[in-house]
Amino acid sequence: MLDPQLIQRFAELILKEMRGELTEPEARELKEWQAADPQHTAFYEQMYSVPELQARLSKFGEPDEDAAWQRFAEKHFPAPAEQETVKVRRMHYRWWAAAAVTIAAAAAIWLWKPEPGQQKGNTPVAEGPKIIMPATSKAVLTLADGSTIPLDSAGSQTFAQQGATASQNGGSLVYQAGQSMGALQYNTLRTPRGGQFRISLPDGSQVWLNAASSLRFPVAFGNGERKVELTGEAYFDVRPDAAKPFKVAVAGKAEVAVLGTEFNINAYTDEPAIRATLVKGSVAVTAAGATRKLEPGQQAAIADGAPQVETRPDIEEALAWRNAVFYFNNADVRAVMRQLQRWYDVEVEYRGTVPNRRFDGEIQRNLPLQDVLEGLRVSGLSFTIEGSKIIIQPL
């Protein structure tokens, strides 16, 4: 069996070889390692056949990559300074290392998953640590009368309520508008940590809920405004209707008003600010008695007072979860761990003095937790999994 400590090292060498960047000493190291064991050769050949890796290579392999990073630096760090230069270079390395994680993940699946209790030669072995998988489509729908309906990726059901019909098919819940009858009845869709879900509202607007989030919405919209309530994070694609403005009440602190547009709202209570990011259309964000209008590509940040408009936010970071990746832009350890807690439904314990490390780059969200942590080890921190807890301490 391959030494898990060597996986990352030779994953990186294989990636460099694929990109034509292997130095002569590294080429000798890789060749000698291959020759030392038939499993090493099999590992090498298997890695060249990983489709997910090929997709990554097409993304990371820009012909003029240095120029691409220079453009990134000029956008995010307009005032030249030695510290910022180091940060960009480290970002370059970490994006490259994230691609190597894909190889390591594929290798783990291929090499580290024998039949339960068995390894080659049918020799019994001790069961390894539990593999913690990423979030799946699951949620709980609470009806107006307090009853609950569990929803998951395998579910298929249809039910009627206040003249509307709701149909679940896997990770999607679709409401067909009916005749509004009497006072509005509100349902609440909640995703747990380790869950996500999509809902089509009675007006045809689409909402994607991230993990640990909730959306309160009427079963049928009335003749006035269309109003919903959000906690956590969601991406909205609102159906235009000039006669019925669409409003999102956000965590009891702000309101986003739109006619027809696409935008993301991050309003987790453990994050330092609520952030509304406009993709297209227009929105008005109100908080603390002040209203700010956003144009596409802008973001409103709400902490303790009025919305603060950021005209050049990192859109890729704001929408990363919808693109199935973790994207870190100068994120500290605790900010990174908050995302992992929600997505993998784990707890985090810090031991000792955790260095002020910063993370930049991208890692796929469909990997097991162990593989994501492998991509973060370049930080000089130790990540240990005990049950459903991540223990973090200095190396």
Side-chain angles (χ1 to χ4, degrees):
M1 175 176 281
L2 292 180
D3 182 351
Q5 297 298 322
L6 296 177
I7 286 290
Q8 184 69 28
R9 169 61 179 165
F10 288 99
E12 292 171 358
L13 291 183
I14 292 169
L15 179 63
K16 289 188 72 174
E17 182 183 56
M18 288 178 171
R19 296 179 60 187
E21 299 175 352
L22 209 59
T23 65
E24 284 190 21
E26 289 171 336
R28 286 196 298 271
E29 180 184 0
L30 181 56
K31 186 175 181 179
E32 291 170 1
W33 180 77
Q34 282 183 257
D37 190 317
Q39 277 203 59
H40 297 179
T41 300
F43 174 103
Y44 176 87
E45 293 174 351
Q46 178 73 8
M47 294 310 97
Y48 262 85
S49 67
V50 178
E52 191 176 4
L53 174 64
Q54 302 304 326
R56 272 198 175 278
L57 285 173
S58 67
K59 181 170 185 176
F60 290 102
E62 292 189 37
D64 191 0
E65 194 174 65
D66 289 339
W69 284 112
Q70 184 60 39
R71 289 194 298 271
F72 187 95
E74 291 171 353
K75 173 183 176 182
H76 292 279
F77 310 108
E82 183 173 346
Q83 179 183 4
E84 294 162 346
T85 300
V86 171
K87 186 182 296 182
V88 172
R89 286 176 180 169
R90 293 176 71 186
M91 174 178 287
H92 185 171
Y93 169 77
R94 286 172 180 156
W95 276 67
W96 178 90
V101 170
T102 302
I103 307 180
I109 294 170
W110 179 59
L111 292 170
W112 299 344
K113 290 188 178 178
E115 291 299 318
Q118 298 290 318
Q119 66 177 16
K120 292 180 180 179
N122 295 322
T123 303
V125 296
E127 188 172 336
K130 175 186 175 184
I131 302 298
I132 300 178
M133 299 305 291
T136 59
S137 293
K138 57 185 174 184
V140 173
L141 179 66
T142 302
L143 304 181
D145 62 5
S147 59
T148 59
I149 301 175
L151 309 172
D152 60 38
S153 58
S156 179
Q157 55 187 316
T158 299
F159 52 92
Q161 186 184 11
Q162 199 186 13
T165 301
S167 301
Q168 182 213 349
N169 184 13
S172 177
L173 182 64
V174 178
Y175 274 82
Q176 297 292 333
Q179 187 74 27
S180 179
M181 298 181 296
L184 297 181
Q185 295 183 19
Y186 283 83
N187 290 352
T188 302
L189 183 67
R190 290 187 176 87
T191 54
R193 293 201 312 191
Q196 61 179 346
F197 222 79
R198 181 176 73 88
I199 180 172
S200 178
L201 296 173
D203 66 336
S205 297
Q206 307 287 316
V207 184
W208 288 261
L209 277 182
N210 201 353
S213 302
S214 72
L215 183 75
R216 184 173 181 265
F217 60 95
V219 175
F221 288 111
N223 295 325
E225 64 186 19
R226 299 169 287 167
K227 191 168 186 177
V228 300
E229 300 172 20
L230 172 72
T231 63
E233 184 168 25
Y235 183 91
F236 292 81
D237 184 351
V238 175
R239 179 70 61 85
D241 187 343
K244 298 180 180 180
F246 192 100
K247 296 182 179 180
V248 184
V250 185
K253 294 183 178 180
E255 181 178 271
V256 177
V258 306
L259 293 178
T261 185
E262 293 185 32
F263 56 97
N264 190 82
I265 299 177
N266 183 316
Y268 288 114
T269 56
D270 58 356
E271 295 293 343
I274 295 171
R275 295 186 181 276
T277 307
L278 182 61
V279 177
K280 67 179 182 180
S282 64
V283 299
V285 180
T286 301
T291 299
R292 302 287 185 269
K293 291 185 178 180
L294 298 184
E295 296 179 359
Q298 294 184 341
Q299 182 182 88
I302 305 159
D304 297 324
Q308 302 298 311
V309 176
E310 299 177 16
T311 58
R312 298 183 67 185
D314 192 331
I315 298 296
E316 192 167 3
E317 180 181 22
L319 303 182
W321 76 275
R322 285 287 296 125
N323 295 320
V325 296
F326 295 108
Y327 179 87
F328 307 124
N329 182 0
N330 197 33
D332 62 25
V333 176
R334 295 180 186 275
V336 170
M337 288 302 117
R338 287 197 296 270
Q339 291 196 48
L340 300 190
Q341 279 183 284
R342 292 190 287 261
W343 190 241
Y344 291 95
D345 189 15
V346 293
E347 299 298 331
V348 174
E349 178 181 330
Y350 298 91
R351 294 181 181 176
T353 302
V354 178
N356 185 25
R357 295 287 190 262
R358 295 282 168 167
F359 294 86
D360 301 280
E362 171 187 291
I363 297 178
Q364 296 286 338
R365 281 163 65 99
N366 60 358
L367 297 175
L369 175 61
Q370 284 84 343
D371 297 318
V372 173
L373 295 179
E374 192 66 36
L376 301 178
R377 293 189 196 281
V378 294
S379 64
L381 296 173
S382 169
F383 300 91
T384 304
I385 298 178
E386 292 185 1
S388 59
K389 179 187 294 184
I390 305 173
I391 298 172
I392 303 174
Q393 54 192 339
L395 285 174

